[in-house]
Amino acid sequence: MNLFSGILYNFKGLWLGIRTPRLLLLGFLRFAVVAILTVAVSGLILTKHADILALLWQQPESPWIVWAWHVASWLLSLMLMGISAVAAYLLAQVLFAVFIMDLMSRITERLVTGKTTAPPHVSIVNQMGFLVRQELPRNIIPVLLTLIIMVLAWFTPLGPVLTAIGPMVAAIFLAWDNTDLIPARNLEPFGQRFKALGKSPLFHLGFGLPFLIPVLNLVFLSFAPVGATLYQLDRMKRAASSTPSGE
């Protein structure tokens, strides 16, 4: 699987999601959850914008310096909006979206294969509890890596290069958050699943590139579990066909 394959699976999932009423409803439900929480958290944080700026820098009286204060105010607003978007996404993922994502994955799997894979001896409650616990490292890891890259971009000569790498790292992990649904549901160990990610970085980069498109990224993220499930089903099919029949 290469970069182009990742992009193709994302669009295939979006098209199947739009054509399937249940997936369409769940996709828009996830879109609404993320959008509402983003607006709510953004409003909450931005109401404190003036107080935060006052703590950092009082508005200067000199007209020669006040322009710099306005620039700082604008940059702070952008930073607060970014923080609020990340906070809202993480909150939506852990509290709501993981359940919607898994349901979309199960529906897609039944549409393609007629059944859903999951450990037969584990209840659905335990499966969902495991998925919620896995959502924390799957989201904390990319956020931390992105923040580290951003800090390094500010304080090292490699700033332009690291600025480009940061979004790509985020795209890879956002893609993995979706392609990991079936392995996590099957209770595969985290280390094993993380190792599998390391074997397909280009595919995950391609799958995650649409997530970097402003505004449209919310649409692609809403239906990403569908394309990710199609990818996992094809991967498992290829693995089964390559296994000798005598084994």
Side-chain angles (χ1 to χ4, degrees), residues 82-151:
I83 292 173
S84 62
V86 171
Y89 177 77
L90 293 177
L91 187 62
Q93 284 295 106
V94 174
L95 295 182
F96 303 102
V98 65
F99 302 104
I100 301 173
M101 290 167 66
D102 184 65
L103 184 55
M104 294 178 74
S105 177
R106 290 173 185 267
I107 292 173
T108 304
E109 196 170 359
R110 282 196 295 269
L111 285 173
V112 175
T113 67
K115 61 181 181 180
T116 300
T117 59
H121 59 282
V122 180
S123 69
I124 191 169
V125 174
N126 289 333
Q127 292 174 28
M128 295 309 300
F130 185 80
L131 282 174
V132 171
R133 292 195 299 272
Q134 299 310 297
E135 197 64 23
L136 295 175
R138 278 199 312 233
N139 281 283
I140 290 173
I141 289 175
V143 169
L144 288 178
L145 281 177
T146 304
L147 289 176
I148 290 172
I149 291 173
M150 287 175 59
V151 171

Side-chain angles (χ1 to χ4, degrees), residues 8-18 23 223-228 230:
L8 183 61
Y9 270 101
N10 203 325
F11 277 90
K12 285 171 62 177
L14 178 62
W15 179 237
L16 178 60
I18 292 173
L23 292 174
F223 293 95
V226 182
L230 294 176

Side-chain angles (χ1 to χ4, degrees), residues 61-75:
E61 297 181 0
S62 172
W64 299 101
I65 305 177
V66 73
W67 67 269
W69 182 87
H70 285 292
V71 170
S73 177
W74 181 74
L75 291 175

